[in-house]
Amino acid sequence: MKKIIVEIKNKPIGELFYEESSNTYGFNYRSNDELVSLIMPYKASTCLWRGHLHPIFDMNMPEGYLFEILKNYLNKQHEYINDFLLFSYLCPNIQSRLSFRSEFSDTPFNSIDLNDVLQNDSEDTFVALVKTFLDKNAISGVQPKTLALLRDKESLTTKEYIIKAWGAEYPRLAENEYFCLKAVEKSGVKIPNILLSENKKFLLVERFNYDKESKEYLGFEEVSGLLGKNKEQKYEGSYEQVAKTLYRVVTNKRMDMQSFYKTVVMSYLLKNGDAHLKNFGVLYDADMTNIRFSPAYDVVNTVVYFFADRPALSMFGKKVWFGRKELIKFGVESCYMSEKLASKSYDDCMKALKDTITELQEYNAKIPAFETMGQKMIDTWNVSLENKTHKELPLEIRRNWR
């Protein structure tokens, strides 16, 4: 039986295996010195997970664009495909608190100049990046994206970035996400370091699971994993459930629940219908202490692509675009905030939205190619300024887009 050795700081802590006959994944701890996940306490017997990889491993599995590339590649090589083979292929190159050894040896990666990527953001460049770093692409999400090691000549450092691209199906997606993430940052929530390429075709997102001071990789777990769910279940659940899960595990509850609350409010205001269970997470130190809400990531105005889109998860049992009254109620009842703090936090988010609208108007004037998409984003955000609940956006907005 093939196994994957799981290590922390080069010390083996257990083995992951797959039993094909029962479609079951198993993990055996070697000792109780280190834990692989916040939801996997030490046990002498095998930790079993039927039908899917354990959540701490499953969260690294690619979806959509990358999954199709890797699936076709591995099918040609092995004439079969399953999650264990795919994870075995990718896991030796995962850079995280956990490291892995499988039947596939590590592939050395050369870094690429950061400025070259920022200035040459063509489709050919993206395809070349995917091919170069194919073995390294243990990142989830359906959007065309790839991991890459980019070298900054000025700081003399090499960092790992997620490079996101866009095609005809989701035009101007890099700029869309850039402005949405910057809006979240304006509200007072941490985001990763992000860069927009010269021709606005790539969004570069620096990986945030590395502590520059300790020079160690931080632990990171998605809320989906903390709930014991896999990638196919990312739309199952509620924001109340996410809040409850985060409150249970984070160390600084007041600060982190406020950050989570603002992230949710901004998703409603920005009309991000893809804030699902995999798009919230926690970071923790190598010894599993100081558990905190991770920087916000994957925030996009989805309504400009799917007009009738609604929130990814439910709130108060509904998937509608709630306004001020209901969102403040959510802050008080689910995020353990006082009404005064929830109200102030909501106002912070509203100010961030207004400032971003102004910024986007100025950007539209400078970048005519973005004006149509930019105006659609502003139209949807103007609805949020009403502070009212909408099941979906008023139809007259869509009529104006034609």
Side-chain angles (χ1 to χ4, degrees), residues 51-239:
H52 294 278
L53 284 162
H54 305 69
I56 188 64
F57 310 125
D58 181 77
M59 74 176 190
N60 295 292
M61 296 292 283
E63 304 168 78
Y65 174 85
L66 280 174
F67 174 72
E68 291 303 318
I69 292 176
L70 288 163
K71 182 177 70 174
N72 292 336
Y73 175 80
L74 291 176
N75 260 327
K76 289 179 182 178
Q77 299 293 318
H78 301 274
E79 297 183 347
Y80 78 97
I81 185 72
N82 60 34
D83 281 0
F84 190 79
L85 174 64
L86 184 54
F87 190 69
S88 297
Y89 180 76
L90 293 173
C91 70
N93 298 302
I94 293 175
Q95 292 183 305
S96 68
R97 173 179 172 266
L98 304 177
S99 57
F100 305 89
R101 284 190 285 120
S102 74
E103 61 180 301
F104 303 103
S105 61
D106 281 354
T107 304
F109 293 101
N110 295 319
S111 60
I112 294 175
D113 186 71
L114 173 63
N115 285 329
D116 286 347
V117 175
L118 289 172
Q119 295 169 10
N120 300 290
D121 53 354
S122 66
E123 182 177 348
D124 289 342
T125 299
F126 185 74
V127 171
L129 286 166
V130 171
K131 289 180 178 178
T132 301
F133 297 102
L134 185 64
D135 294 357
K136 196 173 182 62
N137 273 294
I139 47 174
S140 63
V142 298
Q143 178 184 354
K145 65 180 73 170
T146 181
L147 277 172
L149 294 173
L150 303 183
R151 182 179 59 256
D152 188 338
K153 290 181 179 178
E154 291 186 7
S155 63
L156 301 177
T157 58
T158 298
K159 300 177 182 178
E160 192 174 64
Y161 284 86
I162 299 172
I163 302 178
K164 299 186 176 186
W166 56 267
E169 188 176 7
Y170 305 118
R172 319 301 300 198
L173 185 57
E175 290 151 293
N176 182 332
E177 183 168 358
Y178 178 85
F179 279 102
C180 287
L181 281 171
K182 284 297 185 179
V184 173
E185 185 178 43
K186 286 180 175 66
S187 76
V189 176
K190 290 182 180 179
I191 67 168
N193 179 35
I194 59 175
L195 299 168
L196 198 58
S197 63
E198 187 171 309
N199 295 311
K200 323 303 180 188
K201 293 183 178 181
F202 294 168
L203 179 69
L204 280 65
V205 183
E206 185 181 341
R207 290 288 292 265
F208 52 75
N209 67 332
Y210 183 72
D211 185 355
K212 297 173 185 176
E213 292 185 6
S214 67
K215 296 182 179 180
E216 292 184 330
Y217 283 98
L218 301 170
F220 172 72
E221 297 193 42
E222 299 166 342
V223 167
S224 58
L226 297 178
L227 289 169
K229 296 181 181 291
N230 57 59
K231 56 186 178 295
E232 285 80 19
Q233 299 170 301
K234 62 186 179 183
Y235 294 107
E236 299 176 9
S238 67
Y239 293 112

